[in-house]
């Protein structure tokens, strides 16, 4: 346990002991890297019921993604217990007095890996195709679920035109946060407005950030937890599929979506699991939108890093390195003379 | 000694990755060390080329604007004419950036106009954006 984290751990355990009315002791706390939208800690406590692993997610001083913690927590509650594995949500604490900022607590899913790079080594080598199959099967199953039956329509809007709503929102983020002119992003926004698809008949719970790195897999090739639901919303099923296939998630590998499977294979798995046939014309729109949304997030993180209180390196990496890559992907997708050096042609 | 910022930054990035990151005691610290090394690598590339790449962009935009008639994106025709005659106040990056951003704002406007009125100009601007993006490309391994 790093000594600098012990005071936070002790305050957290005091809170838990009071809340759960049982004597608990802190046996470990470590910060998990990559928590761009929340500070994330793995905490271990001992008590009368034995040892427990918990995940503490505390609001940061500044965030990569501006999200509502309550919406995310309620989404975990709605999805937990369905076919989509997620960590069990235990506590949402919005009173900042306990740990300086609001936080949530989940039960830890132990013994798993999230980085696709781990698939190159034992014990995960040989699992690439199996995990890819599970990844897009689960996403298809999510798309097949009725958001009303899931209960999320009680706290999420159901848009009349999901594509228009998402475009308006993310174009607004770029307008608000760009620190200098963004010619590729603006060209993409104009393209998306000109080619706006008709609203699809289907609505589903959209995860909003379903990509390699945001799920936990084990050594048997099973996905044990889908994480980071902070951008979840009700929308078009094609949105998550297109986002999951964006070339950025497998960078610099272009042919394997998310570093796992060829794109057409991933789509076929998703179609079987969802029972939805992909409308290819609409899907072209969602692929361009996915790259624009990514660019909007990176542009926003630049603004956060420059003007915000947090100087987390991940904000600067997103703001500079990811912006560079996403610009190249978008340009590859829209330039009429593209040689597709960074992104395969739109499907 | 003549300072060589790009080389110094690249060397510091290597030091972080090869010597310091393995000595860190937590995955959080190791991950952040890796990200800082990556940023130093990006700074090393850009420190050397930043002014030159922006000046190349400015030069390309000025040459493009010179070829455009007043009927092209007429609302910005006068602003484009003024832009063609401008030079940065100095070769400090902040001054070059200011002129670069003014040009990019005009380029966005003329690109939007070209999409509706001039397919050849639209293609030319995409090629310009391609060269602009490649000039600023980060090669981080």
């Amino acid at each position: 346990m790093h000594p600098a984290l012990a005071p936070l751990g002790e305050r957290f355990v005091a809170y838990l002991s009071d809340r759960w009315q049982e004597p608990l002791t802190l046996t470990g706390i470590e910060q998990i890297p990559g928590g761009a939208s929340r500070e994330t800690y793995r905490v271990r406590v001992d008590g009368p019921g034995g040892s427990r692993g918990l995940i503490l997610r505390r609001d940061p001083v500044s965030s990569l993604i501006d999200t509502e913690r309550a919406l995310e927590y309620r989404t975990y509650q709605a999805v937990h217990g369905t076919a989509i594995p997620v960590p069990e949500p235990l506590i949402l604490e919005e009173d900042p007095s306990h740990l300086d900022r609001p936080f949530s607590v989940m039960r830890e899913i132990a013994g798993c890996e999230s980085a696709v790079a781990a698939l190159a080594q034992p014990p995960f080598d040989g699992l690439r195709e199996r995990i890819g199959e599970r990844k897009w099967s689960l996403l298809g199953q999510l798309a097949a679920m009725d958001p009303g039956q899931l209960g999320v329509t009680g706290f999420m809007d159901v848009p009349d035109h999901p594509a228009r709503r998402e475009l308006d929102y993310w174009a607004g983020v770029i307008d608000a946060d760009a620190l200098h002119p963004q010619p590729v992003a603006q060209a993409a926004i104009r393209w998306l407005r000109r080619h706006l698809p008709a609203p699809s008949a289907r609505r589903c719970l959209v995860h909003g950030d379903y990509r390699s790195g945001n799920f936990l897999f084990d050594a048997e090739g099973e996905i044990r937890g889908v994480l980071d639901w902070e951008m979840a919303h009700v929308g078009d099923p094609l949105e998550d599929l297109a986002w999951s296939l964006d070339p950025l998630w497998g960078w610099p590998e272009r042919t394997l979506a998310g570093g796992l499977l060829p794109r057409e294979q991933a789509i076929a798995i998703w179609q079987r699991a969802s029972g939805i046939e992909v409308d290819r014309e609409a899907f072209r729109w969602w692929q361009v939108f996915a790259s624009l949304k990514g660019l909007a997030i990176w542009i926003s993180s630049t603004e956060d890093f420059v003007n915000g209180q947090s100087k987390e390196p991940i904000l600067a990496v997103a703001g500079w390195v990811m912006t560079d890559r996403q610009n190249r992907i978008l340009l590859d997708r829209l330039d009429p003379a593209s040689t597709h050096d960074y992104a395969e042609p739109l499907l | 000694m003549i300072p060589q910022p790009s080389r110094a930054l690249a060397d510091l990035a290597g030091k972080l990755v090869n010597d310091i990151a393995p000595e860190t005691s937590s995955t959080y610290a190791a991950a952040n060390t890796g990200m800082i090394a990556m940023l130093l690598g990006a700074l090393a590339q850009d420190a050397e080329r930043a002014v030159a790449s922006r000046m190349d962009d400015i030069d390309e935009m000025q040459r493009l604007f010179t070829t455009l008639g007043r009927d092209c994106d007429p609302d910005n025709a006068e602003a484009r004419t003024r832009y063609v005659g401008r030079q940065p106040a100095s070769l400090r990056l902040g001054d070059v950036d200011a002129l670069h951003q003014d040009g990019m704002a005009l380029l966005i406007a003329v690109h939007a106009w070209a999409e509706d009125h001039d397919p050849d100009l639209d293609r030319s601007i995409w090629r310009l954006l391609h060269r602009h993006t490649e000039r600023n490309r980060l090669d981080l391994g």
Side-chain angles (χ1 to χ4, degrees):
Chain A
M1 178 169 18
H2 196 285
L5 295 180
L8 173 66
E10 295 294 352
R11 289 171 70 192
F12 177 53
V13 168
Y15 168 87
L16 283 182
S17 298
D18 182 56
R19 174 136 183 168
W20 288 345
Q21 289 296 292
E22 57 179 313
L24 298 170
T25 55
L26 179 71
T27 55
I29 178 170
E30 63 174 320
Q31 190 161 4
I32 299 173
S37 52
R38 300 273 185 276
E39 288 175 7
T40 307
Y41 302 88
R42 181 180 291 113
V43 184
R44 182 148 290 278
V45 298
D46 280 351
S51 181
R52 271 174 275 183
L54 304 168
I55 299 296
L56 166 65
R57 282 164 63 78
R58 181 169 70 156
D59 278 19
V61 179
S62 183
S63 166
L64 188 67
I65 304 164
D66 298 325
T67 56
E68 294 182 46
R69 84 192 64 80
L71 180 141
E72 181 188 23
Y73 188 82
R74 294 175 77 180
T75 305
Y76 273 107
Q77 288 180 312
V79 176
H80 186 251
T82 71
I84 312 299
V86 295
E88 181 184 357
L90 301 173
I91 295 171
L92 174 65
E93 180 55 73
E94 303 207 76
D95 180 350
S97 67
H98 303 287
L99 297 181
D100 302 326
R101 282 166 258 145
F103 60 91
S104 62
V105 184
M106 312 276 171
R107 194 179 305 281
E108 182 191 18
I109 299 173
C112 290
E113 179 58 70
S114 64
V116 167
L119 295 173
Q121 301 157 18
F124 301 106
D125 53 332
L127 293 175
R128 195 175 297 274
E129 185 152 351
R130 159 77 180 156
I131 290 168
E133 196 277 333
R134 294 301 301 139
K135 175 183 177 182
W136 279 286
S137 285
L138 288 172
L139 188 61
Q141 288 175 266
L142 179 66
M145 291 177 180
D146 183 303
Q149 288 184 348
L150 268 176
V152 296
T153 52
F155 56 94
M156 291 179 179
D157 294 335
V158 180
D160 295 331
H161 199 308
R164 178 180 292 135
R165 185 189 65 174
E166 291 303 307
L167 177 57
D168 286 347
Y169 177 79
W170 290 105
V173 167
I174 291 172
D175 285 344
D177 289 351
L179 299 180
H180 54 80
Q182 296 284 344
V184 177
Q186 293 301 334
I189 290 168
R190 294 192 301 273
W191 187 95
L192 288 163
R193 292 210 186 284
R194 279 198 304 276
H195 296 87
L196 198 68
S200 72
R202 298 285 288 263
R203 299 287 183 280
C204 73
L205 173 61
V206 174
H207 177 281
D209 195 11
Y210 194 86
R211 60 172 173 81
S212 295
N214 271 348
F215 56 86
L216 299 170
F217 53 90
D218 64 19
E220 279 70 53
E222 189 53 62
I223 290 179
R224 302 271 310 281
V226 178
L227 312 175
D228 290 349
W229 293 75
E230 56 257 51
M231 290 195 287
H233 56 276
V234 174
D236 190 311
L238 294 182
E239 182 183 347
D240 265 343
L241 180 61
W243 179 258
S244 73
L245 300 180
D246 193 87
L248 190 70
W249 311 131
W251 189 279
E253 163 63 54
R254 282 184 306 160
T255 56
L256 294 181
L260 294 169
L261 292 178
R263 291 186 299 166
E264 286 290 4
Q265 190 177 341
I267 291 171
I269 293 165
W270 183 88
Q271 288 187 144
R272 277 197 301 274
S274 66
I276 300 170
E277 186 171 349
V278 170
D279 173 339
R280 293 292 173 141
E281 192 174 334
F283 193 54
R284 289 170 63 84
W285 190 94
W286 283 109
Q287 288 171 83
V288 175
F289 171 77
S291 294
L292 178 81
K293 174 180 165 179
L295 189 51
I297 292 170
W298 318 136
I299 286 170
S300 187
S301 73
T302 306
E303 195 277 336
D304 256 358
F305 185 78
V306 172
N307 296 328
Q309 295 178 53
S310 171
K311 298 302 172 191
E312 285 291 321
I314 195 169
L315 292 173
V317 168
W320 193 0
V321 179
M322 297 307 172
T323 297
D324 166 52
R325 292 175 182 175
Q326 200 83 64
N327 256 323
R328 285 189 262 164
I329 289 168
L330 255 182
L331 207 139
D332 242 10
R333 296 190 138 172
L334 295 175
D335 177 1
S338 170
T339 49
H340 298 288
D341 297 322
Y342 307 110
E344 290 182 304
L346 295 169
L347 292 171
Chain B
M1 175 176 122
I2 298 173
Q4 294 180 292
S6 291
R7 181 166 175 180
L9 289 164
D11 288 346
L12 289 170
K15 181 76 177 168
L16 271 179
V17 168
N18 297 320
D19 295 348
I20 297 175
E23 296 293 320
T24 54
S25 59
S26 74
T27 52
Y28 177 75
N32 275 314
T33 305
M35 282 190 275
I36 291 169
M38 179 187 281
L39 289 165
L40 287 175
L43 282 167
Q45 286 181 43
D46 224 41
E48 183 68 17
R49 71 187 182 189
V51 168
S53 62
R54 284 160 182 72
M55 288 302 292
D56 285 348
D57 282 346
I58 290 167
D59 181 56
E60 278 215 51
M61 288 189 287
Q62 289 180 330
R63 280 191 281 121
L64 175 75
F65 295 164
T66 304
T67 67
L68 304 179
R70 296 189 66 79
D71 56 339
C72 169
D73 181 26
D75 292 347
N76 291 299
E78 279 192 27
R80 285 199 308 272
T81 301
R82 284 195 299 275
Y83 187 79
V84 166
R86 289 175 60 191
Q87 289 295 314
S90 77
L91 287 180
R92 286 179 182 274
L93 187 54
D95 288 333
V96 175
D97 257 343
L99 184 62
H100 185 265
Q101 290 181 26
D102 289 349
M104 281 292 170
L106 290 168
L107 187 72
I108 288 170
V110 79
H111 195 185
W113 182 90
E115 286 164 359
D116 293 331
H117 300 91
D118 190 337
D120 288 340
L121 177 58
D122 176 41
R123 280 191 286 274
S124 294
I125 293 172
W126 275 114
R127 292 288 84 198
L128 189 158
L129 290 176
H130 177 79
R131 291 188 294 274
H132 154 71
T133 304
E134 286 298 304
R135 266 181 213 118
N136 291 284
R137 187 182 77 193
L138 297 172
D139 292 314
L140 300 171

